[in-house]
Amino acid sequence: MSNYHINEKGFYGKFGGAYIPEMLYPNVEELKQSYLSIMQDPSFQEEFQQLLKDYVGRPSPLYFAKRLSEKYNTKIYLKREDLNHTGAHKVNNTIGQILVAKKLGKKRIIAETGAGQHGVATATVCALMGIECIVYMGEIDIARQAPNVARMKMLGAKVIPATSGSKTLKDATNEAIRDWINNPVDTHYIIGSVVGPHPYPDMVARFQSIISEEMKWQLQEQEGRENPDYVIACVGGGSNAAGAFYHFLDDTSVNLIAAEAAGKGVNSGESAATSALGKDGIIHGSRTLLMQTNDGQIIEPYSISAGLDYPGVGPMHAHLFESERADFVSVTDDEAMAAGLTLCQLEGIIPAIESSHALAVLEQRKFDSEDIVVINLSGRGDKDLNTYINYFNL
Ligand SMILES: *Cc1c(COP(=O)(O)O)cnc(C)c1O
């Protein structure tokens, strides 16, 4: 049987690993040696589960979307990660990692952020635990994501601008890595998706796997069977998709569909469709698929959705793509925006634009009337209101 999980060396097939500068080795090695035993410790699990319940508000509902189902003549369920505290799935991971950091005796947290969603989720859990928080963010992103910068500041985090290169996410990541090298003993680096050197992709996937763990018993309750026919999720770095797919990976009767942001069109030069356009390479410490020029320079991604605007994809997804375990679908800005509006008007739910990419798959694929299709609604649309206003001239 094929293996869709990580192997002992930290690889998914040929993707993954830990391609890091020598000076980062002790930090990553400490985490690699301890993350599984920490996560399996009963006292860790007790605190993690308690916080997911009372602080995040889990389990998130699995909602049968009746009117959406009628429109597409199939059975559609929405996994409501949009109802989590802070408005998306990202907090599942930051709660987990802050508890790991505490167990390792760390006193200081650093993070990188692009649009600011992961920065806010990190600042939130640092406030919760009373731990110092430093968030690196590109200077350009600071200017265009002012509300999230304000949120982080209110939550007590220090936001440090990255002023080199393109002044966006990849430069913020470089600054965070530099900080970690300089503060190896007291600092933990909270990465926001299933990316980065091993063990991050596996650790983050495990924290997000609560999503598919809940889906299984919720489907059993509502449909009398644990497995859906399809699970659909959007992919930026890939953490909400990894969580939604996790407990179905080995069961090939469950079809997995990953929606990637095609921006203004896959071949428009303004896109973030990593699997369609990506080539084998190394980014942020792992071997994966990424958008690059022939001589290996990273191509700046584009998507109307800030959270999908990443030039690579986590190594698990590179492997799911290459092994054809998951079906990768490209969704343009226009298709996503239309699908988001459809959800608003049929179900009274305003989705994050990232999640609208997953919803747009309903227009591209045909499902049978008896199929059970679960769509991971990764986040709510409040943060995207300005983009919706400008796009629809509201
Ligand atoms: C950040 C974000 C994403 C993309 O990140 P993944 O790691 O691919 O899940 C998707 N949806 C929402 C709502 C987000 O905030």
Side-chain angles (χ1 to χ4, degrees):
M1 200 184 78
S2 305
N3 179 20
Y4 302 109
H5 293 270
I6 202 138
N7 67 21
E8 326 73 60
K9 298 213 164 91
F11 283 85
Y12 299 89
K14 69 178 189 204
F15 299 109
Y19 299 85
I20 50 173
E22 193 63 34
M23 288 170 79
L24 213 54
Y25 182 81
N27 312 38
V28 173
E29 188 62 19
E30 179 187 34
L31 198 59
K32 186 178 121 193
Q33 293 302 335
S34 50
Y35 81 110
L36 286 177
S37 59
I38 289 176
M39 287 176 70
Q40 283 153 10
D41 184 272
S43 72
F44 175 94
Q45 275 301 325
E46 191 183 335
E47 195 174 2
F48 182 52
Q49 297 298 336
Q50 190 79 42
L51 285 170
L52 288 182
K53 178 169 174 281
D54 297 332
Y55 188 73
V56 177
R58 303 202 72 90
S60 68
L62 184 70
Y63 164 68
F64 176 65
K66 185 159 170 289
R67 298 187 67 213
L68 197 65
S69 297
E70 279 164 7
K71 176 174 164 70
Y72 290 103
N73 192 27
T74 190
K75 288 161 103 171
I76 302 168
Y77 283 87
L78 303 176
K79 182 59 174 158
R80 299 291 308 275
E81 294 299 300
D82 61 313
L83 295 177
N84 292 340
H85 177 49
T86 70
H89 66 290
K90 285 196 173 71
V91 71
N92 302 327
N93 168 47
T94 57
I95 291 264
Q97 284 202 49
I98 196 89
L99 294 178
V100 168
K102 267 182 36 177
K103 291 272 182 199
L104 290 172
K106 306 292 177 183
K107 305 267 179 285
R108 185 173 170 271
I109 295 294
I110 56 172
E112 85 296 337
T113 198
Q117 296 303 113
H118 173 57
V120 170
T122 302
T124 298
V125 298
C126 288
L128 176 70
M129 296 296 169
I131 295 182
E132 184 186 357
C133 180
I134 289 108
V135 180
Y136 290 93
M137 188 168 186
E139 202 170 42
I140 290 185
D141 290 333
I142 288 180
R144 59 186 178 190
Q145 307 289 345
N148 276 340
V149 176
R151 285 185 185 102
M152 287 184 264
K153 288 183 177 167
M154 286 187 76
L155 293 162
K158 190 167 163 201
V159 181
I160 301 185
T163 55
S164 63
S166 57
K167 305 183 174 58
T168 58
L169 177 61
K170 102 180 129 46
D171 313 289
T173 305
N174 291 339
E175 294 296 325
I177 289 172
R178 200 163 304 150
D179 180 312
W180 207 21
I181 288 173
N182 291 329
N183 299 283
V185 178
D186 68 341
T187 298
H188 174 68
Y189 178 15
I190 299 190
I191 292 183
S193 189
V194 285
V195 300
H198 176 63
Y200 279 100
D202 185 49
M203 179 170 67
V204 176
R206 285 170 188 262
F207 287 135
Q208 293 294 356
S209 72
I210 185 73
I211 299 173
S212 48
E213 189 183 315
E214 289 173 3
M215 280 179 193
K216 279 177 103 77
W217 63 257
Q218 290 172 319
L219 278 173
Q220 181 65 44
E221 252 176 39
Q222 296 185 61
E223 288 284 342
R225 60 166 155 124
E226 282 193 333
N227 286 355
D229 298 292
Y230 294 87
V231 181
I232 307 176
C234 65
V235 173
S239 69
N240 87 90
F245 295 168
Y246 196 88
H247 290 283
F248 305 115
L249 285 171
D250 295 327
D251 204 328
T252 51
S253 70
V254 181
N255 297 287
L256 309 175
I257 303 182
E260 283 189 329
K264 298 189 172 157
V266 174
N267 297 311
S268 66
E270 291 182 80
S271 144
T274 313
S275 67
L277 299 171
K279 295 190 212 80
D280 210 320
I282 289 170
I283 183 170
H284 299 149
S286 74
R287 180 173 176 187
T288 190
L289 292 172
L290 62 132
M291 304 197 322
Q292 52 188 314
T293 60
N294 285 334
D295 44 2
Q297 295 298 310
I298 290 169
I299 297 173
E300 281 289 321
Y302 162 81
S303 165
I304 194 168
S305 142
L308 301 185
D309 184 343
Y310 182 70
V313 64
M316 175 203 269
H317 296 290
H319 182 54
L320 293 178
F321 173 75
E322 205 166 82
S323 63
E324 300 183 0
R325 172 66 186 94
D327 182 10
F328 282 69
V329 176
S330 303
V331 174
T332 64
D333 289 356
D334 292 339
E335 290 166 336
M337 296 304 271
L341 194 61
T342 298
L343 187 73
C344 295
Q345 298 182 350
L346 289 181
E347 299 289 346
I349 298 170
I350 302 177
I353 299 175
E354 291 86 354
S355 318
S356 299
H357 284 73
L359 293 161
V361 170
L362 293 168
E363 289 284 339
Q364 294 200 23
R365 291 283 185 279
K366 277 272 161 280
F367 303 99
D368 289 339
S369 59
E370 288 307 303
D371 281 342
I372 296 176
V373 180
V374 178
I375 299 177
N376 197 41
L377 206 68
S378 54
R380 66 175 87 122
D382 308 33
K383 69 181 177 61
D384 295 320
L385 210 59
N386 265 322
T387 311
Y388 280 126
I389 288 170
N390 292 332
Y391 186 87
F392 290 114
N393 274 320
L394 303 171

Coordinates of all heavy atoms in Angstrom, one line a residue, residues 109-154:
I109 N 8.1 33.7 21.8 CA 7.6 33.1 20.6 C 7.8 34.1 19.5 O 7.6 35.3 19.6 CB 6.0 32.9 20.7 CG1 5.7 31.9 21.8 CG2 5.4 32.6 19.4 CD1 6.2 30.5 21.5
I110 N 8.3 33.5 18.3 CA 8.3 34.3 17.1 C 7.5 33.7 16.0 O 7.2 32.5 16.1 CB 9.8 34.5 16.6 CG1 10.4 33.1 16.3 CG2 10.6 35.3 17.5 CD1 11.8 33.1 15.6
A111 N 7.0 34.5 15.1 CA 6.2 33.9 14.0 C 6.4 34.9 12.8 O 6.8 36.0 12.9 CB 4.7 33.9 14.4
E112 N 6.1 34.3 11.6 CA 6.1 35.1 10.4 C 4.6 35.2 10.0 O 3.8 34.4 10.3 CB 6.9 34.4 9.3 CG 6.1 33.4 8.4 CD 5.6 32.2 9.2 OE1 6.2 31.9 10.3 OE2 4.6 31.5 8.8
T113 N 4.3 36.3 9.3 CA 2.9 36.4 8.8 C 2.9 37.1 7.5 O 3.7 38.0 7.3 CB 1.9 37.0 9.8 OG1 0.6 36.7 9.5 CG2 2.1 38.5 9.9
G114 N 1.9 36.7 6.6 CA 1.8 37.4 5.3 C 0.6 38.4 5.5 O 0.8 39.6 5.7
A115 N -0.6 37.8 5.3 CA -1.8 38.7 5.4 C -2.1 39.1 6.9 O -2.9 39.9 7.1 CB -3.0 37.9 4.9
G116 N -1.5 38.4 7.8 CA -1.7 38.7 9.2 C -2.5 37.7 10.0 O -2.6 37.8 11.2
Q117 N -3.1 36.8 9.3 CA -4.0 35.8 10.0 C -3.3 34.9 10.9 O -3.7 34.7 12.1 CB -4.8 34.9 9.0 CG -5.7 35.7 8.0 CD -6.7 36.4 8.8 OE1 -6.8 37.7 8.8 NE2 -7.6 35.7 9.5
H118 N -2.1 34.4 10.5 CA -1.3 33.6 11.4 C -0.7 34.4 12.5 O -0.6 33.9 13.6 CB -0.2 32.8 10.6 CG 0.7 32.1 11.5 ND1 0.3 31.1 12.4 CD2 2.1 32.2 11.6 CE1 1.3 30.6 13.0 NE2 2.4 31.3 12.6
G119 N -0.4 35.6 12.2 CA 0.2 36.5 13.2 C -0.9 36.8 14.3 O -0.5 36.7 15.5
V120 N -2.1 37.0 13.9 CA -3.2 37.2 14.9 C -3.4 35.9 15.7 O -3.5 36.0 17.0 CB -4.5 37.7 14.2 CG1 -5.6 37.7 15.2 CG2 -4.3 39.1 13.6
A121 N -3.4 34.8 15.1 CA -3.7 33.5 15.8 C -2.5 33.3 16.8 O -2.7 32.7 17.9 CB -3.8 32.4 14.8
T122 N -1.3 33.7 16.4 CA -0.2 33.5 17.3 C -0.2 34.5 18.5 O 0.0 34.1 19.6 CB 1.2 33.6 16.5 OG1 1.2 32.7 15.5 CG2 2.4 33.4 17.4
A123 N -0.5 35.7 18.2 CA -0.6 36.8 19.2 C -1.7 36.4 20.2 O -1.5 36.6 21.4 CB -0.9 38.1 18.6
T124 N -2.7 35.8 19.7 CA -3.9 35.4 20.6 C -3.4 34.4 21.6 O -3.7 34.5 22.8 CB -5.0 34.8 19.7 OG1 -5.4 35.8 18.8 CG2 -6.1 34.2 20.5
V125 N -2.7 33.3 21.2 CA -2.4 32.3 22.1 C -1.2 32.7 23.1 O -1.1 32.2 24.2 CB -2.0 30.9 21.4 CG1 -3.2 30.4 20.7 CG2 -0.8 31.0 20.5
C126 N -0.4 33.7 22.6 CA 0.6 34.2 23.5 C 0.0 35.0 24.6 O 0.4 35.0 25.7 CB 1.6 35.1 22.7 SG 2.7 34.1 21.6
A127 N -1.0 35.8 24.2 CA -1.7 36.6 25.3 C -2.4 35.6 26.3 O -2.3 35.8 27.5 CB -2.8 37.5 24.6
L128 N -3.0 34.5 25.7 CA -3.6 33.5 26.6 C -2.6 32.9 27.6 O -3.0 32.7 28.7 CB -4.2 32.4 25.7 CG -4.8 31.2 26.3 CD1 -6.1 31.6 27.0 CD2 -5.0 30.1 25.3
M129 N -1.4 32.7 27.2 CA -0.4 32.1 28.0 C 0.5 33.1 28.7 O 1.4 32.6 29.5 CB 0.4 31.1 27.2 CG -0.4 30.0 26.6 SD -1.0 28.9 27.9 CE -2.2 27.9 27.0
G130 N 0.4 34.3 28.4 CA 1.3 35.3 29.0 C 2.8 35.2 28.5 O 3.7 35.3 29.3
I131 N 3.0 34.9 27.2 CA 4.3 34.7 26.7 C 4.6 35.8 25.7 O 3.7 36.2 24.9 CB 4.4 33.3 26.0 CG1 4.3 32.2 27.1 CG2 5.8 33.1 25.3 CD1 4.5 30.8 26.6
E132 N 5.8 36.3 25.7 CA 6.3 37.4 24.8 C 6.1 36.9 23.3 O 6.4 35.8 23.0 CB 7.7 37.7 25.1 CG 8.3 38.8 24.2 CD 9.8 39.0 24.4 OE1 10.4 38.3 25.3 OE2 10.3 39.9 23.7
C133 N 5.6 37.8 22.5 CA 5.3 37.4 21.1 C 5.9 38.5 20.1 O 5.6 39.7 20.2 CB 3.8 37.4 20.9 SG 3.3 36.9 19.2
I134 N 6.7 38.0 19.2 CA 7.3 38.9 18.1 C 6.8 38.3 16.8 O 7.1 37.2 16.5 CB 8.8 38.9 18.2 CG1 9.2 39.7 19.5 CG2 9.4 39.6 17.0 CD1 9.8 38.9 20.5
V135 N 6.2 39.2 16.0 CA 5.7 38.8 14.7 C 6.4 39.5 13.6 O 6.4 40.8 13.6 CB 4.2 39.0 14.5 CG1 3.7 38.5 13.1 CG2 3.4 38.2 15.6
Y136 N 7.1 38.8 12.7 CA 7.7 39.5 11.5 C 6.8 39.5 10.4 O 6.1 38.5 10.0 CB 9.0 38.7 11.1 CG 10.1 38.8 12.2 CD1 10.2 37.9 13.2 CD2 10.9 39.9 12.1 CE1 11.2 38.0 14.2 CE2 11.9 40.1 13.1 CZ 12.0 39.1 14.1 OH 13.0 39.3 15.1
M137 N 6.7 40.7 9.8 CA 5.8 40.9 8.7 C 6.4 41.9 7.7 O 7.0 42.9 8.0 CB 4.5 41.6 9.3 CG 3.3 41.7 8.4 SD 1.8 42.1 9.4 CE 0.6 42.0 8.1
G138 N 6.2 41.6 6.4 CA 6.8 42.4 5.3 C 6.2 43.8 5.4 O 5.0 44.0 5.8
E139 N 7.1 44.8 5.1 CA 6.6 46.2 5.2 C 5.4 46.5 4.3 O 4.5 47.2 4.7 CB 7.8 47.1 4.8 CG 7.8 48.5 5.3 CD 9.1 49.2 5.1 OE1 9.6 49.1 3.9 OE2 9.5 49.9 6.0
I140 N 5.4 45.9 3.2 CA 4.3 46.1 2.3 C 3.0 45.5 2.8 O 1.9 46.1 2.8 CB 4.6 45.5 0.9 CG1 5.6 46.4 0.2 CG2 3.3 45.4 0.0 CD1 6.0 46.0 -1.2
D141 N 3.1 44.3 3.4 CA 2.0 43.7 4.0 C 1.4 44.5 5.2 O 0.2 44.5 5.5 CB 2.3 42.2 4.5 CG 2.5 41.3 3.3 OD1 1.9 41.6 2.2 OD2 3.3 40.3 3.4
I142 N 2.3 45.1 6.0 CA 1.9 45.9 7.1 C 1.0 47.0 6.7 O 0.0 47.3 7.3 CB 3.2 46.4 7.9 CG1 3.8 45.3 8.7 CG2 2.8 47.6 8.9 CD1 5.0 45.7 9.5
A143 N 1.4 47.6 5.5 CA 0.6 48.7 5.0 C -0.7 48.3 4.5 O -1.7 48.9 4.7 CB 1.4 49.4 3.9
R144 N -0.8 47.1 3.8 CA -2.1 46.7 3.2 C -3.0 45.9 4.2 O -4.1 45.6 3.8 CB -1.9 46.0 1.9 CG -1.0 44.8 1.9 CD -0.8 44.3 0.4 NE 0.0 43.1 0.4 CZ 0.6 42.6 -0.6 NH1 0.4 43.1 -1.8 NH2 1.4 41.5 -0.5
Q145 N -2.5 45.5 5.3 CA -3.3 44.7 6.2 C -3.4 45.3 7.6 O -3.2 44.7 8.7 CB -2.6 43.3 6.4 CG -2.3 42.5 5.2 CD -3.5 42.0 4.5 OE1 -4.6 42.0 5.0 NE2 -3.4 41.7 3.2
A146 N -3.7 46.6 7.6 CA -3.7 47.4 8.8 C -4.6 46.8 9.9 O -4.2 46.8 11.1 CB -4.1 48.9 8.5
P147 N -5.8 46.4 9.7 CA -6.6 45.8 10.8 C -5.9 44.7 11.5 O -6.0 44.6 12.7 CB -7.9 45.4 10.1 CG -8.0 46.1 8.8 CD -6.5 46.3 8.4
N148 N -5.3 43.8 10.8 CA -4.6 42.7 11.5 C -3.4 43.1 12.3 O -3.1 42.6 13.3 CB -4.2 41.6 10.5 CG -5.4 40.6 10.2 OD1 -6.3 40.6 11.0 ND2 -5.3 39.9 9.1
V149 N -2.7 44.2 11.8 CA -1.6 44.7 12.5 C -2.1 45.3 13.8 O -1.6 45.1 14.9 CB -0.9 45.8 11.7 CG1 0.3 46.5 12.5 CG2 -0.3 45.2 10.4
A150 N -3.2 46.0 13.8 CA -3.9 46.6 15.0 C -4.3 45.5 15.9 O -4.0 45.6 17.2 CB -5.1 47.4 14.6
R151 N -4.8 44.4 15.4 CA -5.3 43.3 16.3 C -4.0 42.7 17.0 O -4.1 42.5 18.3 CB -5.9 42.2 15.5 CG -7.3 42.4 15.0 CD -7.9 41.2 14.3 NE -9.2 41.6 13.8 CZ -9.5 41.9 12.5 NH1 -8.6 41.8 11.6 NH2 -10.7 42.3 12.1
M152 N -3.0 42.5 16.3 CA -1.8 41.9 16.9 C -1.3 42.8 18.0 O -0.9 42.4 19.1 CB -0.7 41.7 15.9 CG -1.0 40.5 15.0 SD 0.4 40.2 13.8 CE -0.1 41.0 12.4
K153 N -1.2 44.1 17.8 CA -0.8 45.1 18.8 C -1.7 45.1 20.0 O -1.2 45.1 21.1 CB -0.7 46.5 18.2 CG 0.5 46.6 17.2 CD 0.6 48.1 16.7 CE 1.8 48.2 15.7 NZ 1.7 49.5 15.0
M154 N -3.0 45.1 19.8 CA -3.9 45.0 20.9 C -3.7 43.8 21.7 O -3.9 43.8 23.0 CB -5.4 45.1 20.4 CG -5.8 46.4 19.9 SD -7.6 46.4 19.6 CE -8.3 46.5 21.2

